[in-house]
Amino acid sequence: MHAIVIDKPGGPEVLTWREVPEPRPGPGDVLIDVAASAVNRADVMQRQGLYGPPPGAPPYPGLECSGVVAEVGSDVEDFKPGDRVSALLAGGGYAERVAVPWQQVMRVPEGVDLVEAAALPEVACTVWSNVFMTARLRKGETLLVHGGASGIGTLAVQLAKAFGSHVVVTAGSAEKIARCVELGADEGINYREEDFAERVRADVILDIVGGRYLPGNVKALKTGGRLVVIGMQGGSKGELDLGALLVKRASVHGTTLRSRPVDEKGVIVRGVVENVWPLVEAGAIRPVIHARVPMSDAAQAHRILESGDHVGKILLVS
Ligand SMILES: NC(=O)c1ccc[n+]([C@@H]2O[C@H](COP(=O)([O-])OP(=O)(O)OC[C@H]3O[C@@H](n4cnc5c(N)ncnc54)[C@H](OP(=O)(O)O)[C@@H]3O)[C@@H](O)[C@H]2O)c1
C-alpha cells in the first residue's frame, strides 16, 4: 500500500507518498480501506518533529479516517468486512489502509457521505470529551470557544447550540466570525480588535491558545466556571491567578486525546456515537469542509492549514 512518509522533520515538502508495508490487524483490530483522512494541527507538529506518535502507533501521520472495513481480528464482534466506518486513530490515517483497535471505530452516521465522514472523528471526540464529559456544559450555560472557525471550533459551536447553550466565539476576522454565526454562534469577538476578557463571562471555555490566554480566560470565567485547555498555540506557560480561581470556585483542566489509553478512547467514542451521531443524522450538525486534497498531495493540504485562512476541516481523499 501507499502512505505519507516523513523521512526527516521539515516543511510540507517532506511529506512523500510512498510504498510501505501493509498493516496487519491484531486480534482486537479492524483493518480499514481508507476513503479519506483529514488534517489536524497535530499532524503539522508531527511533520516538524515536535509531536511523535505514541508507542505502538503507525509512524505515518493522520489522527482520523473514514472508509470500508476490509478485515477484522478474531476478537472483534461489532464490525464486519464491508461496513462503512470512521475511526479515531493514534496515527496512520494518511495511508491506503490502517489497522485500529475496534473501540476507536464508529459507524458512519446515516446520510453522511463516506469521504465527508473523515471530517468528524477527531473534532467530535475532542469536543464531546472536553466540553461535555470534562467541563459538563449544561443547557442555558454560556460556552466561549476560542478559534471558533477552526476544525474543532466549527464542531463545538454546532454541538453546544444543539444542546441549548449560548455560544460565543473568538476568531481573527469578520469573515470567520460570520461563518461561525451561520453555524449557530450567538456572538463573535474579533480577537485582533477586542479583548475577549473585557466582553464575555462564560461558564465553560474551550481554549486552543494556552499560556498567553490564561489570565484572560480566568478573568472571563463565571463563578463555578470550567476552563479546558486543549491547545498551546500561544505557549505552554502563563500566570495563573489562584486568588481569582478560588473566589470563583472555578477549575482549569488540560487534556490530550491522542495519548489516552484505548479503553478511555473507547468510552469517548461510545459517547460520540450515542450523543453526537443522532444530531448529525437529524441535520443539526454537519461536517464543515474547507477543501478536499488528494492524499498523495498532503503537502498542499498542510500548506492550506498553515495559511490559517481555512474554516473547518481539510480532507485528504485516498
Ligand atoms: N488536546 C487535544 O486533545 C486536541 C485535539 C484536537 C485538537 N487540539 C488542538 O486544538 C486546536 C485546533 O485544532 P484544529 O485542528 O481545529 O486547528 P485549525 O483548524 O488549524 O485551527 C486553528 C485556528 O486557531 C485560530 N487561532 C489562532 N490564534 C488564535 C487566537 N489567539 N484566538 C482565537 N483563535 C486563534 C486560527 O484562526 P484565526 O484566523 O481565527 O486566528 C486557526 O484557524 C489546535 O491547537 C490543536 O492542536 C487539541
Side-chain angles (χ1 to χ4, degrees):
M1 72 159 191
H2 286 77
I4 290 288
V5 178
I6 303 171
D7 284 327
K8 56 177 185 344
E13 69 285 350
V14 303
L15 300 170
T16 49
W17 184 241
R18 282 224 304 272
E19 201 158 343
V20 298
E22 288 271 341
R24 292 300 310 147
D29 289 343
V30 172
L31 183 69
I32 300 173
D33 267 332
V34 174
S37 184
V39 183
N40 286 279
R41 205 141 275 268
D43 308 341
V44 173
M45 291 164 63
Q46 179 167 342
R47 192 199 76 211
Q48 293 167 334
L50 304 172
Y51 191 37
Y60 324 117
L63 299 180
E64 57 195 329
C65 75
S66 61
V68 175
V69 174
E71 203 178 320
V72 296
S74 52
D75 294 349
V76 177
E77 295 174 352
D78 292 19
F79 299 97
K80 60 180 188 322
D83 285 351
R84 286 155 41 95
V85 294
S86 63
L88 182 68
L89 308 172
Y94 291 19
E96 288 176 317
R97 286 184 162 195
V98 66
V100 52
W102 68 267
Q103 294 92 331
Q104 293 167 217
V105 180
M106 296 158 253
R107 62 178 172 78
V108 171
E110 292 290 330
V112 176
D113 171 79
L114 186 63
V115 165
E116 295 197 351
L120 288 170
E122 177 73 16
V123 292
C125 290
T126 300
V127 174
W128 179 253
S129 60
N130 288 291
V131 175
F132 291 89
M133 292 171 65
T134 299
R136 301 193 169 281
L137 181 71
R138 290 184 291 264
K139 190 174 177 177
E141 287 191 325
T142 295
L143 172 69
L144 171 61
V145 182
H146 289 304
S150 65
I152 296 289
T154 51
L155 197 283
V157 167
Q158 297 183 79
L159 191 55
K161 279 313 291 179
F163 275 86
S165 301
H166 182 85
V167 180
V168 185
V169 298
T170 61
S173 71
E175 292 74 25
K176 285 191 174 184
I177 289 171
R179 292 290 304 278
C180 294
V181 169
E182 274 170 32
L183 291 171
D186 298 283
E187 294 175 57
I189 301 170
N190 184 338
Y191 67 82
R192 297 185 204 278
E193 295 174 352
E194 201 179 343
D195 179 1
F196 68 91
E198 297 300 328
R199 163 127 165 233
V200 62
R201 291 294 172 266
D203 300 284
V204 174
I205 302 176
L206 182 63
D207 178 43
I208 62 172
V209 180
R212 192 158 53 77
Y213 269 15
L214 187 57
N217 277 333
V218 170
K219 187 173 173 184
L221 283 176
K222 289 185 184 176
T223 299
R226 293 85 75 197
L227 164 64
V228 194
V229 182
I230 62 163
M232 295 178 292
Q233 292 177 205
S236 62
K237 292 186 180 155
E239 194 169 297
L240 177 61
D241 181 348
L242 287 169
L245 206 65
L246 267 58
V247 167
K248 292 184 182 189
R249 304 186 297 286
S251 57
V252 180
H253 305 258
T255 73
T256 61
L257 185 55
R258 188 183 197 181
S259 59
R260 291 189 191 224
V262 170
D263 286 349
E264 268 185 44
K265 286 181 180 166
V267 171
I268 294 168
V269 162
R270 283 197 297 282
V272 164
V273 171
E274 280 168 26
N275 297 285
V276 183
W277 274 195
L279 293 165
V280 176
E281 288 167 351
I285 293 175
R286 56 188 164 85
V288 178
I289 293 162
H290 179 82
R292 295 167 181 240
V293 176
M295 191 177 284
S296 55
D297 196 12
Q300 176 59 12
H302 277 217
R303 287 187 194 101
I304 297 171
L305 187 89
E306 287 181 278
S307 77
D309 293 336
H310 63 290
V311 173
K313 300 285 293 185
I314 299 154
L315 292 181
L316 292 170
V317 184
S318 190

